[in-house]
């Protein structure tokens, strides 16, 4: 037997339901169930039954109502007891026997599924299915409808809000509209529903309806309440008017448990395999790999958009157990004196005797804002050298399960481990330049090769972030000071520096002549990752150039095998090849895709290929980390360009492929060669054929999609 509060007050036994008639015992039962498992005072129960003006015999009449309820329970076989407690009464219930407790329990369990939006959505809809109509429609208690019903209704509204947020985050705007049309009409003053409805309409390509809905709610608020729409609604209206891309929707609404708002949990660190026992390298679960060259099977972790399976730029080494937390000084970039170790790193050793500086073009984009270095534990015995704590410097992380790029990794490792070339000690030429589009896997390759060559650098290996958390380049003198402090504490032997995400050659040159303490011994070997070609650096320091392209079909398939497991991929090999083709064999796209598929182990690859093919740009994103997406990666790359160069690239991407030819189309002529060279230098144009250059299909589609959204600014509404 179950009690039902979320609708008319009723008793249910399987499919049979008995709706109680309006009566004073019904008022009493509702008041007790609303506070199930807690003592309820006789005074409150009397007010719930009779209101504020009670008869003189209310106390005795309350006892009579309790007796009538007990008889009703006995008649229908209800075993729940109404217990007399000091000062009042108490009824005992559990989630299976009271729908209100069942609803709260399911919402609480849904809150624990925040890493799996589909599962959370299913749990919330299961919870909302317990609501069966107007709340306590057959209970005629002014006190309960005034004091209790609004609180319960708010719990339901928060759950509906969350469901709509999840639907928007999953790109299922059509489903969200069904719920939101009803919610906005039933609750016209609930601005959050209107905001979600406007967003769903706009994301569905219905800009005029979205603006009409804003005008409707604005008129209602002014006429009924005399207030303007909320700031968030006004910002949304402005974005719709401008035709702006709202970016991937993120289900970031708060949870609601027992009527209380509960903040989303913070991202938990994931330990990187092969780390030394005394340290833990970490990346947040929302981090997405740009290179997609490595994966962690069985985990839905993602990597930074420019380093396959390498930590995002904002990721920092997590402290080992017992290590000090982040301090205000560390967060501001000022760290109290005290060494932080560079710990020995795992990986396959490659015997060698040191090597020259190496330039690897490419690197991850700016990390999520707010990422700060974490204080590391005290130096362990046997560490190569003590790293003076400096912002944005950390040991080179491992790249677990590196996939593909075998020839490139071998060539880069050979360059790192080759004997130093002859020449003056203070001018060691760069020997390797690896270039390619953003998200092609440059940082992963650099870090993987560095780990393979670890034995060649007994003084340790460091990853130096060359941009700040907001993406701005760090001044060269600041980086030089930080790195010099580290090298000043170096022991014997040579160190390796990976200068990650270099913006221009001027950031690098001062670091190529750094020496060990008091100038003793050779300077560090240097690997530079950059999105730019850095031709001036090559001209002054020399170098051997290698350019990365997209994965081959075999490499893409190998990545899917590594990420998703052979059993799942080999069961649908044709669908796996289709998925790789829809991703354009682009490493970042493949890595985001595998992260999404890992969270849905029951989804067939063929169904995933159909779903992805409908709108690959919108769906190559992580719903729990909207900033990590293929579109976001391209936006950040284009944002670094000079505006005139960005405009030229937009023109190229929107026009016919013949725009990239030397002759150009007959009716327009060619784009200047200097412009095309600059775009190729920035990694946005790939080598042909056909023609000398081409634009990757995903990048071309992104530019055209962005242009369509921008052009809607002039649409009449």
């Amino acid at each position: 037997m179950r009690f039902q509060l979320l609708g008319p007050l009723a008793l249910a036994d399987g499919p049979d339901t008995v709706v109680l008639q309006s009566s004073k015992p019904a008022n009493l039962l509702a008041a007790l169930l609303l506070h199930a498992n807690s003592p309820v005072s006789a005074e409150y129960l009397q007010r719930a039954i009779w209101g504020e003006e009670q008869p003189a015999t209310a106390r005795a009449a309350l006892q009579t109502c309790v007796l009538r309820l007990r008889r009703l329970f006995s008649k229908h076989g209800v075993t729940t007891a109404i217990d007399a407690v000091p000062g009042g009464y108490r009824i005992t219930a559990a989630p299976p026997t009271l729908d209100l407790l069942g609803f709260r329990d399911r919402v609480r369990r849904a809150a624990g599924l925040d890493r799996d939006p589909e599962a959370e959505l299913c749990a919330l809809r299961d919870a909302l299915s317990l609501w069966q109509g107007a709340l306590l429609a057959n209970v005629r208690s002014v006190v309960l409808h005034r004091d209790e019903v609004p609180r319960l209704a708010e719990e339901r509204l928060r759950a509906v809000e969350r469901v709509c947020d999840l639907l928007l985050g999953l790109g299922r705007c059509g489903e969200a509209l069904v719920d939101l049309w009803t919610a906005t009409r039933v609750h016209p003053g609930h601005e959050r529903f209107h905001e979600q409805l406007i967003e769903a309409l706009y994301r569905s390509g219905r800009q005029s309806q979205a603006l009409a809905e804003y005008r409707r709610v604005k008129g209602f608020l002014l006429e009924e309440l005399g207030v303007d729409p909320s700031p968030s609604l006004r910002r949304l209206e402005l974005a719709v008017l401008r035709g702006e891309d709202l970016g991937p929707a993120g289900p970031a609404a708060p949870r609601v448990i027992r009527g209380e708002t509960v903040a989303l949990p913070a991202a938990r660190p994931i330990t990187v395999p092969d780390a030394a026992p005394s340290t833990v390298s970490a990346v947040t679960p929302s981090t997405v790999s740009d290179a997609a060259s490595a994966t962690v099977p069985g985990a839905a972790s993602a990597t930074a958009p420019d380093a396959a399976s390498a930590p995002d730029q904002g990721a920092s080494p997590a402290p080992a157990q017992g290590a000090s937390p982040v301090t205000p000084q560390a967060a501001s970039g000022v760290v109290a004196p005290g060494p932080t170790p560079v710990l020995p790193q795992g990986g396959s050793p490659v015997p060698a005797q040191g090597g020259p500086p190496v330039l690897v073009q490419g690197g991850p984009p700016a990390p999520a804002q707010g990422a700060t270095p974490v204080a590391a534990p005290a130096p362990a015995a046997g560490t190569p050298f003590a790293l003076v704590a400096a912002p944005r410097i950390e040991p080179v992380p491992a790249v677990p399960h590196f996939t593909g790029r075998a020839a490139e990794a071998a060539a880069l490792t050979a360059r790192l481990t080759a004997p130093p070339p002859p020449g003056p000690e203070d001018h060691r030429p760069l020997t390797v330049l690896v270039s390619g589009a953003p998200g092609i896997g440059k940082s992963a390759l650099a870090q993987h090769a560095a780990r393979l060559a670890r034995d060649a650098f007994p003084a340790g290996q460091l990853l130096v972030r060359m941009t700040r958390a907001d993406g701005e380049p760090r001044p060269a003198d600041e980086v030089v000071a930080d790195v010099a402090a580290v090298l000043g504490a170096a022991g014997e032997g040579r160190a390796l520096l990976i200068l990650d995400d270099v913006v221009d050659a001027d950031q690098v040159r001062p670091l190529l002549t750094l020496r060990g303490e008091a100038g003793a011994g050779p300077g560090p070997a240097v690997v530079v990752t950059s999105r730019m070609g850095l031709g001036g650096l090559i001209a002054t320091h020399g170098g051997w150039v290698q350019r990365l392209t997209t994965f081959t079909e075999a490499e893409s398939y190998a990545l899917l095998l590594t990420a998703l497991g052979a059993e799942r991929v080999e069961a649908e090999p044709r669908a796996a090849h289709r998925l790789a083709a829809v991703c354009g064999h682009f490493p970042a796209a493949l890595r985001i895709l595998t992260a999404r598929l890992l969270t849905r182990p029951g989804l067939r690859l063929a169904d995933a290929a159909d779903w992805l093919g409908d709108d690959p740009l919108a769906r190559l994103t992580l719903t729990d980390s909207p900033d990590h997406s293929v579109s976001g990666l391209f936006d950040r790359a284009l944002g670094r360009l000079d505006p005139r160069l960005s405009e030229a690239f937009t023109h190229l991407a929107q026009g016919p492929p013949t725009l990239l030819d030397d002759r150009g189309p007959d009716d327009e002529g060619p784009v200047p060669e200097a412009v095309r060279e600059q775009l190729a230098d920035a990694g946005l144009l790939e080598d042909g054929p056909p023609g000398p250059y081409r634009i990757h299909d995903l990048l071309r589609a992104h530019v055209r999609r962005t242009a369509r959204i921008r052009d809607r600014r002039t649409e009449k509404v």
Side-chain angles (χ1 to χ4, degrees), residues 110 113 116-124:
L113 299 172
D116 188 346
E118 290 281 6
E120 183 183 359
L121 177 62
C122 182
L124 283 174

Side-chain angles (χ1 to χ4, degrees), residues 125-203:
R125 287 201 154 156
D126 186 34
L128 288 169
S129 69
L130 296 175
W131 291 73
Q132 301 294 327
L135 201 61
L136 299 181
N138 57 335
V139 175
R140 297 177 181 175
S141 169
V142 174
V143 171
L144 294 183
H145 281 278
R146 181 193 66 196
D147 299 340
E148 302 294 343
V149 168
R151 178 173 60 83
L152 295 182
E154 185 64 23
E155 290 189 47
R156 179 181 178 276
L157 292 181
R158 294 291 184 88
V160 173
E161 278 184 25
R162 180 62 183 167
V163 165
C164 294
D165 275 324
L166 288 166
L167 288 172
L168 290 174
L170 292 167
R172 290 153 62 176
C173 296
E175 291 183 52
L177 285 172
V178 175
D179 294 329
L180 289 168
W181 282 122
T182 302
T184 52
R185 273 51 184 173
V186 175
H187 306 281
H190 196 98
E191 292 187 65
R192 177 58 184 154
F193 284 145
H194 291 285
E195 186 177 341
Q196 291 172 315
L197 176 59
I198 293 168
E199 180 180 345
L201 288 168
Y202 182 56
R203 290 184 183 277

Side-chain angles (χ1 to χ4, degrees), residues 313-330:
Q313 253 180 291
S316 306
Q321 187 174 5
S324 302
V326 178
T327 63
Q329 293 88 347

Side-chain angles (χ1 to χ4, degrees), residues 293-298 400-403 557-566 569:
S293 294
T295 71
V296 183
H401 302 281
F402 187 89
T403 303
Y557 190 79
L559 174 63
L560 295 177
L561 280 173
T562 304
L564 304 177
V569 174

